[in-house]
Amino acid sequence: MAKIDVIMPQLGESLTEGTIIKWHKKPGDKVKKDETLLEISTDKVDSEIPSPTTGVVTRLLFAEQATVAVREVIAEIDTDASAKAESGPPAAKPSPAKGSKPAASVPAAPQPATPAPSPSPAASSPSPADAAKGRFYSPLVLNIARTEGIPMQELETVPGTGEGGRVSKKDLQAYLVARKSGGQMPAPGPAFGGAPPPPPEHSPAPAAPRIESMLKPVDGGELAKKFPQPGHEIRQMSNILMKMSEHMVRSVHTSPHVFAVHECDMTNVDMVRRRNAGAFQKREGFKLTYTPFICDAIVRAIKEFPLVNSQVEGDKIVIKKFINLGMAVASENGLIVPVIKNAEEKNFVGIARAINDLATRARTKRLTPSDIEGGSFTVTNYGVFGTMVGLPIINQPQVAILGTGSIEKRAVVIDDAIAIRSMAYFTLAFDHRILDGALGGSFMEAVVRNLESYDRNQVV
Amino acid sequence: MATRVTTNKKSPPAGGRTRGSAGPAAAARTPNGSLAKSDLLALYRYMVLMREFEDTIIRLYTQGKIVGGAYTGNGNEATAVGSAYALSDGDYLFPMHRDMGAHFVRGQSVDNLMLMHLARKGSLTEGRDGTGHYTDRDLRIFGNISHLGAMLPVACGIGLAVKLRKERNVVMTYIGDGGSNVGEVHESLAMASAMRLPLVLVIENNQYAYSTPVSRQFIVERLSSRAAGYGIPGKTVDGTDVLAVYHACREAVARARAMRGPSIVESVTMRMHGHAAHDNAWYVPPKELAAWKRKDPIARFEKVLTGKGVLTAAMKKQLVAELRSGIEKSAAAALDLPYPPAEDALRGVFFEPPAR
Amino acid sequence: MAMLTYIEAINEGLRDEMRLDPTVFLLGEDIGAYGGAFKATKGLLEEFGADRVIDTVLAEGAIIGAATGSALAGLKPVAEMQFSDFVSNGFNQLVNVTAKYHYRNFIPVPMVVRLPSGGGIRGGPFHSANTEAWFFHTPGLKLVAPSTPYDAKGLIRAAIREPNPVLYFEYKYLYRHIKSEVPDGDYEVPIGAADIKRTGSDITVITYGTGVHWSLEAAETLSREGVEVEVLDLRTLMPFDRKAVLSSVEKTGKVLIVHEANLTGGVGAELSAFIGAEAFRHLDAPVRRLASPDTPVPYAPPLEDAFLPNAQKTAEALRSLAAY
């Protein structure tokens, strides 16, 4: 009998654990290679995990809702067995867990062939033995770990820079920032919120402690006294919301926001889009929308004004040679901001394909954490909600975000004649620490020019 | 500099707080300081009251009803009463622990002092302190603390306030033979004399500081001679003779009131018992005690009053009965009162002004 | 606004309160015609006369007792100890009479004792002491310790207006070493309120008096090294600002307590115990203290320099805590 272990995948470099949302198979079920075996959630991203092999599921080692360290065995598939539920414990496992109540009773199942690179023990919950490991944690570090739901075994893996390798508050905070950046980023609630910040690539947010203090837990009982029912309803903020709060406040505290609103005549784009719609869909297999036009126009404008594609580091400006264009996409989890990587290398169709791919996977929960990492500029389309003019918040550590309002037919004056045109208001929110109105305006003029100068007869 | 002393805002204790309930306050005196018949009777009454009150305190102590110790002044009645009687309305009294009679002379009630000794709720200190350790700003009585001499600098401060406000009041304070060696006594006399503060210091030389006889405390013949070191008058009087004490203090008070500075009056008497009720004074030679017993201040004054025809045996009998009954009633009422509640202990370290 | 030295600010605070309230008067040794050993009361005799700026005999017990007595009589005395060291001669008065008065008798004692404190002036074992810990342990006394001219003036005014006895620790080393803008008008620095003299996110220094200046200097040094230090100036030692202490500790997780007074049994010991008890879960490092060692203040310059904390020692302590 060939037995294959299914392990908790690491969905992102810095991720250390995942939560099992749903098992699609139960012991005894047949499963095909690449067929969805389970859904997991890492921070905000829900991902369907395909089966690594074809066979029969013999054991599920963790129940739904269990949070499991990456690389841990979570299920076993017998590639030889026929579709018959386990008639006895698999030979390799001396004491299989009964039922699906796992965590504490899970037998350690290291694979002899692959020695674990991480020092983390197999058990996922802290045990008294953990305390005896000799590593000292300050009350604060333990407190943060508890609040953030970090099990002892994970804490053991956090690198320490303090005295004697101690994990300091800063170490843990840096770890948490990195850990979160490995997962799906929180989506902003309101359309006006702009895009949520992607994780800083190199420097964890220095302002983290201040932000953390903003969202101190409030005593629910006290609050209930102050805001009694039935006139009030008190809700716990979700992680997504809390993260959004923190990121938004941080951005506003970090960057002096300036807004430039430009009007754009989208009539030509609209014309090109409609004329090419049929052929495009036939050729590419998806609908041609306004978005690739706008993204393409932005990418070209960034090439003209590279400073908007940068970030501030102390007294230095880091200008990115690549254009990783973040794009707000509505999903059932809220807004997600997948990133079109190296957009500067893509032509119009390349950009359109990338957008379609990311949007599809966002809707079907198949985004990987790397899909939302590393943005260098963000575009947010609140026009889809009917918003005409918005004032988005910069997605730190970027220095500018472009928001697109609804495209509507308006009467405009062209050459002293009134004409009906498809118009939209675009807003650039930019960081006045390094960008001024001249640059912001010029950049926007370039975007608008790029869009308005489409030839109606262009084939895309 | 015109602020008057304000009253001590406290609700009266449940046992009632009748001022001078056990006798009249300082009676009218003739302008030259000589005493009328009513004054003589008042002096006598206060001395008897002091002894009767303290005898009751000792009895309550032996019955286990007094909190802590019982410090009394048998033998000191003439000194306590005669000195305080030399004060006038508005004067300040800083008595010591053997001066219960002085409290009464200045208008303190038996009830209040009983509550103090029994540490009951509603006492002047609400049970935070006992015996005569209280301050009653209405009566201008600033009781001692256990640290001998510690209130003398405070008495100087009151004297300074009187002087700065150009008032005409006198501050009378006391120290024992033992306590007279405490540094603050010297500091206070130095300050009071240099500033000419209206202070009278009565040194109650009652032969023993706890167990230590005066022979081991100082080698001067008279403690009053220390006054010379401050350039102020010092006089030694027979402390068993209430009239001698009164007249000496009267003189010192007059000088102080005239803003001519402090004086010392040494009143020589005997502590007729141990330091406190727990101390049987075995260290005092019986002969010495017997000799002083013959000079008992109350018996001695009785003789004077009887000789003058001011006091009769019937009057004495009636007075003692009346005082005893009042004291008994007061003790019974106080014993019926509860101690302060435990949660009270944490209150009042600081004055907290009422919220506006 | 005027630029005032620390001692000028005290002088101005005294003057302002004396103008405002006729019951305020000063007493102490050499404070009148001579203007005080350090000239803190300079010019006040001339303005207010000998009845309100009183030269007393050399007797600290009598001075403090007289302050207590006159306060009981309704005046508002401000007594000066020529040197904080000499308050030991008035110790009995303060701890047994003054401090216990309200608790025993429910009578407020509105008085101030000024205590020129601290070393750095080559004063030796009897002119350099920091005596706050003796009284910190005594219920019934409020203790303030300003570090700047602004606080010095605001706190002397608040102390005089306070209905309870206040010990006002002032720092001889700061008298003429620091100068700052001080408002002309009527303001007070409330007793019991700490002040964040510098904000920072990495380590909290809790300090007062001269320690504030060492800490601020050290914080600048550390900032250049990438460590942001918050300097919390207690200003009032008793009752100290528990809320401010806790909120800063919760923010940074690391605490260094700096004071000039001797280490053992000092104010820092109580702060440390308080933080350990109330903010344990927020601590990322042991609470550390930097204070003078447990010796008397020595006289010879190299000895005194070795004895006193300073900005460099503070910076070292901060570095070590940052690295923890």
Short mmCIF file of all heavy atoms in Angstrom, two decimals, chain C residues 284-323:
data_model
loop_
_atom_site.label_atom_id
_atom_site.label_comp_id
_atom_site.label_asym_id
_atom_site.label_seq_id
_atom_site.Cartn_x
_atom_site.Cartn_y
_atom_site.Cartn_z
N ASP C 284 8.00 43.85 28.56
CA ASP C 284 8.83 43.07 27.64
C ASP C 284 10.25 42.96 28.17
O ASP C 284 11.11 42.39 27.51
CB ASP C 284 8.83 43.75 26.27
CG ASP C 284 9.35 42.83 25.18
OD1 ASP C 284 9.13 41.61 25.30
OD2 ASP C 284 9.98 43.32 24.24
N ALA C 285 10.47 43.51 29.33
CA ALA C 285 11.79 43.44 29.94
C ALA C 285 11.63 43.72 31.42
O ALA C 285 10.63 44.30 31.83
CB ALA C 285 12.71 44.48 29.31
N PRO C 286 12.61 43.31 32.21
CA PRO C 286 12.51 43.66 33.63
C PRO C 286 12.56 45.18 33.80
O PRO C 286 13.24 45.87 33.03
CB PRO C 286 13.76 43.02 34.24
CG PRO C 286 14.48 42.31 33.17
CD PRO C 286 13.83 42.60 31.86
N VAL C 287 11.83 45.67 34.78
CA VAL C 287 11.91 47.10 35.08
C VAL C 287 13.29 47.36 35.68
O VAL C 287 13.72 46.65 36.59
CB VAL C 287 10.82 47.50 36.10
CG1 VAL C 287 10.97 48.96 36.49
CG2 VAL C 287 9.45 47.24 35.50
N ARG C 288 13.98 48.33 35.12
CA ARG C 288 15.32 48.61 35.62
C ARG C 288 15.40 49.99 36.23
O ARG C 288 14.62 50.87 35.90
CB ARG C 288 16.34 48.48 34.49
CG ARG C 288 16.52 47.03 34.09
CD ARG C 288 17.78 46.84 33.29
NE ARG C 288 17.95 45.42 32.98
CZ ARG C 288 18.56 44.98 31.89
NH1 ARG C 288 19.07 45.83 31.02
NH2 ARG C 288 18.68 43.69 31.68
N ARG C 289 16.36 50.15 37.12
CA ARG C 289 16.52 51.43 37.79
C ARG C 289 17.94 51.95 37.63
O ARG C 289 18.89 51.17 37.67
CB ARG C 289 16.24 51.29 39.29
CG ARG C 289 14.80 51.02 39.63
CD ARG C 289 14.63 50.82 41.13
NE ARG C 289 15.20 49.56 41.56
CZ ARG C 289 15.55 49.30 42.82
NH1 ARG C 289 15.39 50.21 43.76
NH2 ARG C 289 16.06 48.13 43.13
N LEU C 290 18.03 53.23 37.43
CA LEU C 290 19.34 53.89 37.47
C LEU C 290 19.24 54.94 38.56
O LEU C 290 18.38 55.83 38.49
CB LEU C 290 19.67 54.54 36.13
CG LEU C 290 20.98 55.34 36.11
CD1 LEU C 290 22.17 54.41 36.25
CD2 LEU C 290 21.10 56.15 34.82
N ALA C 291 20.09 54.83 39.55
CA ALA C 291 20.04 55.75 40.67
C ALA C 291 21.43 55.87 41.25
O ALA C 291 22.35 55.18 40.81
CB ALA C 291 19.06 55.23 41.74
N SER C 292 21.58 56.74 42.23
CA SER C 292 22.87 56.82 42.89
C SER C 292 23.08 55.55 43.70
O SER C 292 22.12 54.97 44.18
CB SER C 292 22.91 58.03 43.81
OG SER C 292 22.88 59.21 43.04
N PRO C 293 24.34 55.14 43.83
CA PRO C 293 24.58 53.94 44.64
C PRO C 293 24.27 54.22 46.11
O PRO C 293 24.05 55.36 46.51
CB PRO C 293 26.08 53.68 44.43
CG PRO C 293 26.65 54.99 44.01
CD PRO C 293 25.56 55.72 43.28
N ASP C 294 24.27 53.15 46.90
CA ASP C 294 23.87 53.28 48.29
C ASP C 294 25.02 53.74 49.18
O ASP C 294 25.47 53.03 50.08
CB ASP C 294 23.31 51.94 48.79
CG ASP C 294 22.01 51.59 48.06
OD1 ASP C 294 21.31 52.53 47.63
OD2 ASP C 294 21.72 50.40 47.90
N THR C 295 25.48 54.94 48.89
CA THR C 295 26.52 55.55 49.74
C THR C 295 26.08 56.98 49.98
O THR C 295 25.22 57.51 49.28
CB THR C 295 27.88 55.59 49.02
OG1 THR C 295 27.81 56.56 47.95
CG2 THR C 295 28.27 54.24 48.44
N PRO C 296 26.66 57.62 50.99
CA PRO C 296 26.44 59.07 51.09
C PRO C 296 27.02 59.76 49.86
O PRO C 296 27.79 59.16 49.10
CB PRO C 296 27.22 59.45 52.35
CG PRO C 296 27.35 58.17 53.13
CD PRO C 296 27.45 57.09 52.09
N VAL C 297 26.65 61.02 49.68
CA VAL C 297 27.17 61.76 48.52
C VAL C 297 28.61 62.18 48.85
O VAL C 297 28.84 62.92 49.80
CB VAL C 297 26.32 63.01 48.23
CG1 VAL C 297 26.78 63.66 46.94
CG2 VAL C 297 24.85 62.65 48.17
N PRO C 298 29.58 61.70 48.06
CA PRO C 298 30.97 62.06 48.38
C PRO C 298 31.34 63.46 47.88
O PRO C 298 30.63 64.05 47.07
CB PRO C 298 31.78 60.98 47.65
CG PRO C 298 30.90 60.48 46.56
CD PRO C 298 29.47 60.76 46.93
N TYR C 299 32.46 63.93 48.35
CA TYR C 299 32.83 65.35 48.18
C TYR C 299 33.77 65.59 47.00
O TYR C 299 33.51 66.44 46.16
CB TYR C 299 33.47 65.82 49.49
CG TYR C 299 33.88 67.26 49.51
CD1 TYR C 299 33.01 68.27 49.09
CD2 TYR C 299 35.14 67.63 49.99
CE1 TYR C 299 33.40 69.60 49.14
CE2 TYR C 299 35.52 68.96 50.04
CZ TYR C 299 34.64 69.94 49.62
OH TYR C 299 35.02 71.25 49.66
N ALA C 300 34.87 64.84 46.94
CA ALA C 300 35.88 65.10 45.90
C ALA C 300 35.26 64.89 44.51
O ALA C 300 34.48 63.96 44.31
CB ALA C 300 37.07 64.16 46.07
N PRO C 301 35.59 65.80 43.57
CA PRO C 301 34.94 65.73 42.25
C PRO C 301 34.91 64.36 41.58
O PRO C 301 33.84 63.94 41.13
CB PRO C 301 35.72 66.76 41.43
CG PRO C 301 36.16 67.76 42.44
CD PRO C 301 36.47 66.97 43.70
N PRO C 302 36.03 63.63 41.53
CA PRO C 302 35.94 62.31 40.85
C PRO C 302 34.99 61.38 41.58
O PRO C 302 34.31 60.56 40.96
CB PRO C 302 37.37 61.77 40.90
CG PRO C 302 38.23 62.91 41.28
CD PRO C 302 37.39 63.90 42.01
N LEU C 303 34.93 61.52 42.90
CA LEU C 303 34.04 60.65 43.67
C LEU C 303 32.57 61.01 43.41
O LEU C 303 31.73 60.15 43.20
CB LEU C 303 34.34 60.76 45.17
CG LEU C 303 35.76 60.41 45.63
CD1 LEU C 303 35.85 60.46 47.15
CD2 LEU C 303 36.16 59.02 45.14
N GLU C 304 32.29 62.29 43.44
CA GLU C 304 30.89 62.69 43.23
C GLU C 304 30.45 62.35 41.81
O GLU C 304 29.34 61.89 41.59
CB GLU C 304 30.66 64.17 43.51
CG GLU C 304 29.15 64.48 43.50
CD GLU C 304 28.78 65.94 43.68
OE1 GLU C 304 29.65 66.82 43.48
OE2 GLU C 304 27.62 66.20 44.01
N ASP C 305 31.35 62.57 40.85
CA ASP C 305 30.99 62.25 39.47
C ASP C 305 30.71 60.76 39.30
O ASP C 305 29.84 60.36 38.53
CB ASP C 305 32.11 62.68 38.52
CG ASP C 305 32.23 64.20 38.46
OD1 ASP C 305 31.28 64.88 38.93
OD2 ASP C 305 33.25 64.72 37.97
N ALA C 306 31.49 59.96 40.02
CA ALA C 306 31.26 58.51 39.95
C ALA C 306 29.93 58.15 40.60
O ALA C 306 29.25 57.22 40.17
CB ALA C 306 32.40 57.77 40.63
N PHE C 307 29.58 58.90 41.62
CA PHE C 307 28.38 58.61 42.39
C PHE C 307 27.10 58.97 41.62
O PHE C 307 26.16 58.19 41.54
CB PHE C 307 28.45 59.42 43.69
CG PHE C 307 27.17 59.46 44.49
CD1 PHE C 307 26.87 58.46 45.41
CD2 PHE C 307 26.25 60.49 44.32
CE1 PHE C 307 25.70 58.51 46.15
CE2 PHE C 307 25.08 60.54 45.05
CZ PHE C 307 24.81 59.54 45.97
N LEU C 308 27.10 60.14 41.02
CA LEU C 308 25.86 60.64 40.41
C LEU C 308 25.54 59.95 39.08
O LEU C 308 26.43 59.70 38.28
CB LEU C 308 25.97 62.14 40.13
CG LEU C 308 25.88 63.08 41.32
CD1 LEU C 308 26.13 64.51 40.87
CD2 LEU C 308 24.52 62.97 41.99
N PRO C 309 24.27 59.67 38.83
CA PRO C 309 23.87 59.29 37.47
C PRO C 309 24.09 60.49 36.54
O PRO C 309 24.25 61.62 37.01
CB PRO C 309 22.38 58.99 37.59
CG PRO C 309 22.11 58.87 39.05
CD PRO C 309 23.13 59.72 39.73
N ASN C 310 24.13 60.26 35.27
CA ASN C 310 24.23 61.36 34.31
C ASN C 310 23.67 60.88 32.98
O ASN C 310 23.16 59.75 32.89
CB ASN C 310 25.67 61.84 34.17
CG ASN C 310 26.62 60.71 33.76
OD1 ASN C 310 26.23 59.79 33.05
ND2 ASN C 310 27.86 60.77 34.23
N ALA C 311 23.79 61.72 31.96
CA ALA C 311 23.20 61.37 30.66
C ALA C 311 23.88 60.14 30.05
O ALA C 311 23.21 59.29 29.45
CB ALA C 311 23.32 62.56 29.71
N GLN C 312 25.19 60.02 30.25
CA GLN C 312 25.90 58.88 29.65
C GLN C 312 25.46 57.58 30.33
O GLN C 312 25.19 56.58 29.65
CB GLN C 312 27.43 59.06 29.81
CG GLN C 312 28.02 60.13 28.92
CD GLN C 312 27.64 61.54 29.36
OE1 GLN C 312 27.60 61.85 30.55
NE2 GLN C 312 27.31 62.40 28.40
N LYS C 313 25.40 57.62 31.65
CA LYS C 313 24.97 56.40 32.35
C LYS C 313 23.52 56.05 31.97
O LYS C 313 23.17 54.88 31.86
CB LYS C 313 25.08 56.60 33.87
CG LYS C 313 26.51 56.72 34.37
CD LYS C 313 26.53 56.97 35.89
CE LYS C 313 27.93 57.32 36.35
NZ LYS C 313 27.95 57.66 37.80
N THR C 314 22.73 57.09 31.80
CA THR C 314 21.34 56.84 31.41
C THR C 314 21.29 56.21 30.02
O THR C 314 20.55 55.25 29.78
CB THR C 314 20.53 58.16 31.42
OG1 THR C 314 20.71 58.79 32.70
CG2 THR C 314 19.05 57.90 31.19
N ALA C 315 22.11 56.74 29.12
CA ALA C 315 22.14 56.20 27.75
C ALA C 315 22.59 54.73 27.77
O ALA C 315 22.04 53.88 27.07
CB ALA C 315 23.06 57.04 26.87
N GLU C 316 23.60 54.45 28.59
CA GLU C 316 24.07 53.06 28.68
C GLU C 316 22.97 52.14 29.17
O GLU C 316 22.75 51.05 28.64
CB GLU C 316 25.27 52.96 29.63
CG GLU C 316 26.59 53.33 28.99
CD GLU C 316 27.66 53.61 30.06
OE1 GLU C 316 27.66 52.91 31.09
OE2 GLU C 316 28.45 54.54 29.85
N ALA C 317 22.27 52.60 30.21
CA ALA C 317 21.20 51.78 30.77
C ALA C 317 20.11 51.57 29.72
O ALA C 317 19.52 50.48 29.61
CB ALA C 317 20.63 52.44 32.01
N LEU C 318 19.85 52.60 28.93
CA LEU C 318 18.83 52.50 27.89
C LEU C 318 19.25 51.54 26.79
O LEU C 318 18.45 50.74 26.29
CB LEU C 318 18.53 53.88 27.30
CG LEU C 318 17.70 54.81 28.21
CD1 LEU C 318 17.71 56.23 27.66
CD2 LEU C 318 16.27 54.29 28.33
N ARG C 319 20.54 51.62 26.44
CA ARG C 319 21.04 50.72 25.40
C ARG C 319 20.88 49.27 25.83
O ARG C 319 20.44 48.41 25.07
CB ARG C 319 22.52 51.00 25.14
CG ARG C 319 22.74 51.99 24.03
CD ARG C 319 24.23 52.17 23.74
NE ARG C 319 24.42 53.55 23.32
CZ ARG C 319 25.08 54.46 24.01
NH1 ARG C 319 25.66 54.13 25.15
NH2 ARG C 319 25.17 55.69 23.56
N SER C 320 21.25 49.03 27.06
CA SER C 320 21.17 47.67 27.56
C SER C 320 19.72 47.18 27.57
O SER C 320 19.43 46.04 27.24
CB SER C 320 21.80 47.63 28.96
OG SER C 320 21.20 46.64 29.73
N LEU C 321 18.82 48.09 27.93
CA LEU C 321 17.41 47.72 27.96
C LEU C 321 16.87 47.53 26.53
O LEU C 321 16.07 46.64 26.27
CB LEU C 321 16.62 48.80 28.69
CG LEU C 321 15.28 48.44 29.28
CD1 LEU C 321 15.35 47.17 30.10
CD2 LEU C 321 14.78 49.59 30.16
N ALA C 322 17.35 48.37 25.63
CA ALA C 322 16.91 48.24 24.23
C ALA C 322 17.35 46.90 23.66
O ALA C 322 16.64 46.28 22.87
CB ALA C 322 17.49 49.38 23.39
N ALA C 323 18.53 46.46 24.09
CA ALA C 323 19.07 45.21 23.54
C ALA C 323 18.44 43.99 24.19
O ALA C 323 18.62 42.88 23.70
CB ALA C 323 20.58 45.17 23.74
#
